[in-house]
């Protein structure tokens, strides 16, 4: 009888405790990634790409904006679609625009964002040329000193539109050729991969 009590005690009490102990040990080994550390790694990757783009294509300002929600409409409670410039690389003596573009409602730039959604890019080699469509961006170019600007849709593998890559020329007008445009489309896809990998963790 003493043996059966000991066996019952081991299987009934110590067994579940042992299972919990092993489970806790295994869960600690598979820790969730540190959010701050992951954000810093992604930031470093994106900034390296932006610096490379700025240097390779002799741009004055290169930036990435991402879409996010930003509050709710009253009284429906529906989420507002907004965007913010999250990453930016600027050449010496070129002003930053990152601080001016936070929590911007998407509807304020509906013409340009629709163009990016449908055609993946906007090419404006000269903001002062009246024959070139600027999609409502001309006044922004004047405020930010941009003479030529190129925007590229950042999409994830599934095709969702998650952000924009912007290339600004502030010192002189620049017309990029088709080969460069294709290269920048590839760069925007690469940035999309980095951002989506981070967002899915």
């Amino acid at each position: 009888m003493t043996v059966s009590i000991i066996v019952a005690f081991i299987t009934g009490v110590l067994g579940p405790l042992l299972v919990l102990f092993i489970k806790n040990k295994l869960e600690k080994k598979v820790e969730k990634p540190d959010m701050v550390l992951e954000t810093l790694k992604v930031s470093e990757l994106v900034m390296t790409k932006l610096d490379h783009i700025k240097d390779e294509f002799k741009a004055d300002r290169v930036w990435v904006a991402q879409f996010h929600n930003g509050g709710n409409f009253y009284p429906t409670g529906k989420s507002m679609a907004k965007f913010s410039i999250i990453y930016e690389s600027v050449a010496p003596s070129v002003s930053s625009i990152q601080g001016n573009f936070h929590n911007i409602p998407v509807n304020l730039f509906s013409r340009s964002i629709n163009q990016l959604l449908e055609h993946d890019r906007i090419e404006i080699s000269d903001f002062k040329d009246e024959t070139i469509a600027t999609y409502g961006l001309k006044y922004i170019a004047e405020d930010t000193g941009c003479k030529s600007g190129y925007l590229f849709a950042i999409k994830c593998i599934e095709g969702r539109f998650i952000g924009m890559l912007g290339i600004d020329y502030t010192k002189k007008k620049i017309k990029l050729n088709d080969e460069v445009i294709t290269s920048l489309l590839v760069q925007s896809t690469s940035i999309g991969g980095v951002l989506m990998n981070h967002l899915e963790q």
Side-chain angles (χ1 to χ4, degrees):
M1 183 146 162
T2 327
V3 174
S4 61
I5 292 174
I6 293 172
V7 170
F9 177 78
I10 291 172
T11 56
V13 176
L14 292 181
L17 290 176
L18 187 60
V19 168
L20 282 173
F21 176 77
I22 292 170
K23 182 181 173 193
N24 285 339
K25 284 288 186 188
L26 291 173
E27 284 178 353
K28 285 182 182 175
K29 287 182 182 177
V30 187
E31 291 181 19
K32 291 183 179 179
D34 183 308
M35 184 176 76
V36 173
L37 182 61
E38 287 301 312
T39 300
L40 292 172
K41 285 180 184 177
V42 169
S43 182
E44 183 65 29
L45 284 170
V46 173
M47 288 306 298
T48 299
K49 287 179 180 292
L50 295 188
D51 289 338
H52 173 76
I53 291 168
K54 185 182 69 183
D55 295 342
E56 183 177 351
F57 302 107
K58 297 175 177 49
D60 297 312
R61 185 170 45 227
V62 181
W63 49 269
V64 168
Q66 286 182 262
F67 297 114
H68 56 86
N69 65 18
N72 299 72
F73 286 103
Y74 176 82
T76 64
K78 285 187 75 174
S79 184
M80 296 178 192
K82 294 188 176 184
F83 71 89
S84 297
I85 293 180
I86 306 296
Y87 305 100
E88 180 187 47
S89 177
V90 295
S93 76
V94 175
S95 62
S96 169
I97 61 170
Q98 186 174 15
N100 298 332
F101 288 89
H102 277 275
N103 293 317
I104 306 297
V106 167
N107 64 300
L108 293 180
F109 290 89
S110 58
R111 288 179 60 209
S112 54
I113 291 174
N114 272 324
Q115 178 68 14
L116 285 172
L117 179 63
E118 293 174 15
H119 301 285
D120 292 332
R121 65 181 174 264
I122 293 175
E123 301 173 47
I124 307 169
S125 58
D126 183 357
F127 273 102
K128 292 191 175 180
D129 185 340
E130 298 293 331
T131 65
I132 298 174
T134 59
Y135 306 99
L137 298 173
K138 189 172 187 172
Y139 76 96
I140 295 295
E142 290 170 357
D143 287 350
T144 60
C146 185
K147 295 183 182 346
S148 302
Y150 298 85
L151 283 87
F152 301 88
I154 297 175
K155 295 183 178 179
C156 65
I157 293 172
E158 296 84 20
R160 284 184 308 159
F161 189 16
I162 62 169
M164 301 169 275
L165 169 65
I167 317 293
D168 295 345
Y169 294 91
T170 62
K171 295 172 183 162
K172 61 182 180 177
K173 294 178 280 190
I174 300 288
K175 178 150 178 60
L176 300 179
N177 62 37
D178 290 343
E179 185 180 333
V180 171
I181 293 295
T182 300
S183 178
L184 288 166
L185 282 165
V186 170
Q187 293 284 354
S188 68
T189 301
S190 173
I191 291 169
V194 171
L195 295 175
M196 280 310 293
N197 186 41
H198 172 64
L199 293 173
E200 290 172 352
Q201 289 183 353

